[in-house]
Amino acid sequence: MHPPSLAQLWHELGIPADYCAARGLVLHPEARAADLVTLPQTVDGRPVRLLPPAAAAWHRLHAAAAHDGITLLPLSGFRSIARQAELIRAKLAAGEPLAAILRVIAAPGCSEHHTGRALDLGSPDDLALDEEFARTHAFHWLTTHAAAQGFVLSYPPGNSAGITYEPWHWCWHPSAAP
Ligand SMILES: [Zn+2]
């Protein structure tokens, strides 16, 4: 069952109670803010935070990419459940239908970014978090090297969660690490 605060959030935003089950999504526990570390790399000064083991894996990934002449940039890491709700509220206020919003943003509680293990990545030639990233050298490098550091592409084309293809979104899984 969802904690009451999450159920209240969903009710407020109009998200159906069976949202997770219907999409095959799972609830992701929110990392404790005190446990997060800020990555030294930043784009436009925006802090990107991860849990320490995920940050350590990121440092290895970033260094391995740099060794191969590839620059990986972290654009987004930890995001709280409250922040996820704010993003959806803003889109609703702008008149976007909820169904359209939920194709590009997971419901609060269902985003891998809550865990402190997920990263949105860019490269100097694509910082837009768009499908163009799939055509970059950085993405091609990731498809062959990210797994060695435990990073998995969460939303490939045609994923069962009904989320649009996100070539920029990679999640570190302890069990996937070597
Ligand atoms: Zn993401």
Side-chain angles (χ1 to χ4, degrees):
M1 290 303 295
H2 319 305
S5 58
L6 195 58
Q8 284 164 5
L9 259 185
W10 284 20
H11 182 75
E12 175 217 320
L13 297 170
I15 295 165
D18 69 348
Y19 167 85
C20 269
R23 301 269 192 124
L25 290 171
V26 295
L27 290 176
H28 292 290
E30 190 178 62
R32 285 158 25 111
D35 291 339
L36 298 164
V37 294
T38 302
L39 305 184
Q41 300 83 10
T42 181
V43 177
D44 297 333
R46 275 177 291 167
V48 174
R49 294 179 296 164
L50 291 178
L51 286 177
W58 155 254
H59 293 313
R60 289 193 297 272
L61 186 73
H62 184 262
H67 183 264
D68 290 345
I70 300 287
T71 302
L72 296 179
L73 296 167
L75 297 170
S76 186
F78 171 78
R79 193 184 307 140
S80 70
I81 289 172
R83 177 69 184 141
Q84 192 82 2
E86 269 175 34
L87 294 174
I88 292 176
R89 259 185 225 116
K91 285 181 175 287
L92 286 171
E96 287 189 47
L98 183 65
I101 296 169
L102 292 178
R103 274 196 292 277
V104 293
I105 299 184
C110 297
S111 171
E112 286 185 338
H113 286 284
H114 301 328
T115 65
R117 293 186 289 103
L119 268 180
D120 291 338
L121 297 176
S123 61
D125 48 346
D126 187 358
L127 293 169
L129 300 180
D130 57 19
E131 237 179 271
E132 290 297 307
F133 186 64
R135 286 193 261 277
T136 64
H137 290 301
F139 178 77
H140 286 286
W141 185 90
L142 284 164
T143 58
T144 47
H145 296 91
Q149 305 305 338
F151 283 92
V152 174
L153 183 70
S154 301
Y155 306 114
N159 62 80
S160 59
I163 292 177
T164 52
Y165 176 34
E166 294 195 355
W168 61 85
H169 179 108
W170 295 78
C171 191
W172 179 74
H173 296 268
S175 57

